[in-house]
Amino acid sequence: MSAASRAPLRSNRTNRTADRVRGRAVSRAVLAVGTAAAALLVSACSSGGTSGGGGQTGFITGSDGIATAKTGERADAPELSGKTVDGGQVDVADFKGKIVVLNVWGSWCGPCRAEAKNLETVYKDTKDQGVQFVGINTRDTSTGPARAFEKDYGITYPSLYDPTGKLMLRFEKGTLNPQAIPSTLVIDREGKVAARTLQALSEEKLRKMLDPFLTDGSAGSGKSEK
């Protein structure tokens, strides 16, 4: 066989080898994406958790799953602003001087549905006491399901639309940051994160979490509540 006739064969073998290499690379990429997605599904819509505690974190999680931070050891809330589910704009910093209850939720999340009316009830009862509720809607791929959720459960307070969870990532690690869906945080009148829970809330438990900040501006001693 002449050198000229052997050249196409070598070229074909080279192309096939390159195709196999590219195929393996694509398979690894798909696997990595699938693994990441699975991890998100495992962590999403968690109905509880007591991650974090005392020591260097500056907060303590009580037996009720509510974590509180001492007045002098609270972290500043990050910049949380943007478009809302209904197309408006919200900047949590505008509510400084009020107590802000921040709830992370998704329309696809069962525990979020279970607590939705409880949140709205407590919001209506406390908004005249200097309390502002703000939602962060996450992992909904469009605002349609989120708007339907708000209509179904009668939610009247605004929710930032955060489909990729970038707002959640702005909280410092090791602080009272949201780590599950749903998560509920209390931001004190100075704009600092004072309390957190990583579970769906009954009306009673939400009031228990919020009431100390209504009665005393320095509430949240960091002691566990039994």
Side-chain angles (χ1 to χ4, degrees):
M1 183 179 294
S2 67
S5 62
R6 288 195 299 272
L9 293 177
R10 286 195 298 271
S11 177
N12 288 339
R13 285 196 295 271
T14 300
N15 289 339
R16 286 195 295 270
T17 299
D19 288 342
R20 285 195 296 270
V21 170
R22 282 194 296 269
R24 286 195 294 269
V26 169
S27 296
R28 285 194 295 269
V30 170
L31 179 61
V33 171
T35 301
L40 286 175
L41 290 173
V42 168
S43 64
C45 218
S46 169
S47 60
T50 56
S51 179
Q56 297 181 349
T57 58
F59 61 89
I60 296 174
T61 302
S63 59
D64 54 8
I66 298 172
T68 55
K70 296 179 182 179
T71 301
E73 299 182 11
R74 297 171 185 169
D76 290 330
E79 190 272 326
L80 300 169
S81 64
K83 189 175 180 179
T84 61
V85 164
D86 61 4
Q89 292 285 327
V90 162
D91 187 343
V92 171
D94 291 341
F95 302 125
K96 192 170 182 179
K98 292 187 174 184
I99 299 166
V100 177
V101 177
L102 192 70
N103 177 254
V104 181
W105 63 279
S107 68
W108 42 268
C109 168
C112 301
R113 292 191 289 271
E115 71 174 359
K117 289 186 177 180
N118 302 328
L119 291 163
E120 177 63 20
T121 296
V122 177
Y123 169 59
K124 287 180 177 177
D125 288 348
T126 59
K127 63 182 180 179
D128 291 335
Q129 301 176 58
V131 178
Q132 176 64 52
F133 278 47
V134 177
I136 296 181
N137 170 256
T138 191
R139 297 181 191 163
D140 274 315
T141 56
S142 70
T143 57
R147 289 197 304 270
F149 179 101
E150 291 185 333
K151 181 178 179 181
D152 289 345
Y153 293 99
I155 304 300
T156 60
Y157 54 84
S159 282
L160 291 161
Y161 180 54
D162 184 31
T164 60
K166 64 181 181 180
L167 295 179
M168 295 173 67
L169 295 176
R170 292 181 181 177
F171 288 82
E172 288 184 52
K173 292 182 178 180
T175 66
L176 292 174
N177 56 321
Q179 297 177 4
I181 303 168
S183 290
T184 300
L185 286 69
V186 175
I187 300 173
D188 68 19
R189 298 182 192 276
E190 300 301 319
K192 297 179 181 295
V193 184
R196 178 197 66 187
T197 189
L198 305 175
Q199 58 188 317
L201 288 168
S202 65
E203 184 181 331
E204 179 183 7
K205 186 167 285 189
L206 177 55
R207 291 185 189 278
K208 180 181 180 181
M209 182 178 185
L210 181 58
D211 280 352
F213 302 97
L214 294 175
T215 57
D216 184 355
S218 62
S221 64
K223 295 180 179 179
S224 300
E225 294 181 337
K226 302 297 182 183

